[in-house]
Amino acid sequence: MRGSDQRSGELFSYVDLEKRVRLDHPLRAIRVLTDSALEALSGDFAALYSGLGRPSIAPEMLLRAMLLQAFYSVRSERQLMERLEFDLLFRWFVGLGIDDAVWDHSTFSKNRDRLLAGEIAAKFLSAVLAQPRVRRLLSSEHFSVDGTLIEAWASMKSFRAKDGGDEPPSAGRNGERNFHAEQRSNDTHASTTDPEAKLYRKGKGKEAKLCFMGHALMENRHGLVVQAEATEANGVAERRAALEMIDGQAPGTSQLTLGADKAYDAREFVAGLRQKCVTPHVAQKARSSAIDGRTTRHAGYAVSQKKRKLVEEAFGWAKTIAGCAKVKVRGLARVGFHFTLAMVAYNLIRLPKILGPPA
């Protein structure tokens, strides 16, 4: 029999929001991992808020909502708030009741910026990996590192001379300008939209873009990101960030290995790793490589060269799904927060599959 298209218009619903999410939904396993990590950060959250005034958006809800933004490729806070208004799955994951009011997008953005002061994204990443059943998955000796370009939320029209000598024509803010034969560099020019973004060229024959650089340190056993950060884009940022991040893995207590591509094959970088008791499993350049037979003769070198490519999967997911190809925030602090949270989301997407179904 044909069903009716008449709308019932019932005023009340007696179905619990918890029951509307099926038991085998992937977000259930992710929610368990997320809640455990957020509970461990309760003290850090308390330090960011005053004991006076009206209650703000709970930081736990903020982070859960931003994870959904990464999981489902939601482009903006405005669209995220619209999705929370009608999507019961989103409400369940964030922790909003079916009758709870959704926040204004500007209020959400202001409360999000509060988390920058406490480096919450980096602590969130560490808290997820510190859980006992996750920690046993991680390698404590073998790591890989790499960097990727993150295009800034600024156009080349905003890249102007610092002395104001190339003001646009008086035909409006989108007036035509001829940039041909004009020499522009980070020393003489800066973006008026995002001054911290730097002009950088990925390689020969590539166009120069205003961008930042994201860095990730990955453990080699399961390819999980253990540290992430963003820096200004320049020719030495990758190697400097790698030396800083490997310090967080307590080198010197045991012999670590660090896999990397040819961009890290520099004598200063290799010497810096060896001073930290880290074996540099860096891909060799065709000419004048800093890596010799002392390193390449071991079987572990070939394994590291194979494993180091897994970090590209994290970058690929962050750019295609989590919105890191061209970030919609400005300033190095916000870009770093966004990139690190994308790495948290990448780990959370993969962990349920690695951990397997619960007993």
Side-chain angles (χ1 to χ4, degrees):
M1 184 178 79
R2 178 182 174 182
S4 174
D5 190 37
Q6 298 297 321
R7 300 187 181 184
S8 59
E10 283 129 351
L11 184 60
F12 302 106
S13 174
Y14 298 99
V15 180
D16 185 13
L17 192 57
E18 181 73 23
K19 295 181 180 179
R20 292 187 180 272
V21 181
R22 69 175 195 266
L23 295 177
D24 62 341
H25 197 283
L27 281 182
R28 281 195 176 273
I30 294 174
R31 174 70 186 269
V32 173
L33 293 167
T34 301
D35 288 351
S36 298
L38 293 176
E39 185 178 357
L41 294 178
S42 179
D44 297 285
F45 294 145
L48 296 176
Y49 292 83
S50 171
L52 304 175
R54 293 182 301 171
S56 61
I57 302 175
E60 294 86 351
M61 290 185 174
L62 276 171
L63 289 170
R64 291 194 201 101
M66 285 186 280
L67 287 177
L68 288 175
Q69 189 174 5
F71 294 154
Y72 289 91
S73 304
V74 181
R75 292 184 299 171
S76 66
E77 284 79 9
R78 189 186 295 271
Q79 289 187 347
L80 180 61
M81 296 305 105
E82 291 177 358
R83 189 74 179 268
L84 279 171
E85 189 67 54
F86 65 81
D87 196 319
L88 297 184
L89 178 64
F90 273 42
R91 283 180 172 268
W92 168 82
F93 188 85
V94 171
L96 286 173
I98 197 169
D99 294 323
D100 291 340
V102 176
W103 316 290
D104 184 81
H105 67 91
S106 60
T107 304
F108 184 88
S109 299
K110 289 180 180 179
N111 279 268
R112 177 201 61 194
D113 289 346
R114 187 195 299 269
L115 303 179
L116 299 176
E119 299 183 350
I120 295 299
K123 293 177 181 178
F124 191 17
L125 176 60
S126 299
V128 170
L129 300 176
Q131 299 177 54
R133 60 184 182 139
V134 177
R135 192 189 310 141
R136 63 181 176 83
L137 301 174
L138 307 179
S139 171
S140 60
E141 296 179 343
H142 306 293
F143 300 90
S144 296
V145 69
D146 204 356
T148 187
L149 290 182
I150 304 171
E151 191 171 349
W153 191 243
S155 71
M156 290 300 296
K157 288 184 179 180
S158 70
F159 196 63
R160 299 175 183 168
K162 296 178 181 179
D163 59 6
D166 62 344
E167 287 298 318
S170 58
R173 55 177 265 211
N174 284 324
E176 294 293 333
R177 284 195 63 231
N178 185 7
F179 294 109
H180 292 288
E182 181 179 336
Q183 296 293 327
R184 295 187 293 174
S185 70
N186 291 318
D187 295 332
T188 58
H189 290 64
S191 171
T192 57
T193 304
D194 189 350
E196 293 184 274
K198 300 299 181 184
L199 193 66
Y200 191 78
R201 190 190 308 274
K202 188 174 182 179
K204 293 182 179 179
K206 301 291 185 179
E207 70 278 16
K209 296 180 179 180
L210 289 169
C211 53
F212 297 91
M213 191 169 282
H215 313 273
L217 182 69
M218 180 198 74
E219 56 83 31
N220 285 355
R221 183 175 296 165
H222 289 95
L224 296 172
V225 177
V226 296
Q227 279 184 256
E229 66 174 83
T231 64
E232 291 184 349
N234 58 61
V236 298
E238 286 185 301
R239 297 190 288 273
R240 288 178 179 174
L243 290 173
E244 291 176 3
M245 289 192 293
I246 199 63
D247 280 336
Q249 305 305 316
T253 57
S254 60
Q255 187 71 35
L256 309 184
T257 66
L258 183 67
D261 60 25
K262 293 180 181 179
Y264 295 83
D265 187 6
R267 298 192 182 280
E268 183 180 355
F269 175 72
V270 171
L273 287 181
R274 285 177 173 151
Q275 287 179 357
K276 299 176 184 293
C277 294
V278 178
T279 303
H281 284 180
V282 178
Q284 291 179 293
K285 290 180 179 178
R287 300 177 181 177
S288 65
S289 174
I291 304 297
D292 53 31
R294 294 178 299 170
T295 302
T296 58
R297 65 182 179 181
H298 297 287
Y301 178 82
V303 175
S304 292
Q305 288 302 299
K306 182 178 180 180
K307 287 286 188 177
R308 69 173 176 82
K309 300 173 184 178
L310 291 175
V311 73
E312 297 292 349
E313 297 181 10
F315 293 155
W317 186 89
K319 288 187 174 185
T320 57
I321 305 298
C324 285
K326 184 169 185 175
V327 289
K328 294 177 177 60
V329 292
R330 292 168 181 161
L332 181 58
R334 289 187 180 93
V335 172
F337 183 90
H338 184 76
F339 177 74
T340 304
L341 196 67
M343 295 296 102
V344 177
Y346 173 76
N347 285 346
L348 288 172
I349 284 288
R350 296 193 63 239
L351 276 171
K353 300 177 183 179
I354 299 173
L355 291 169

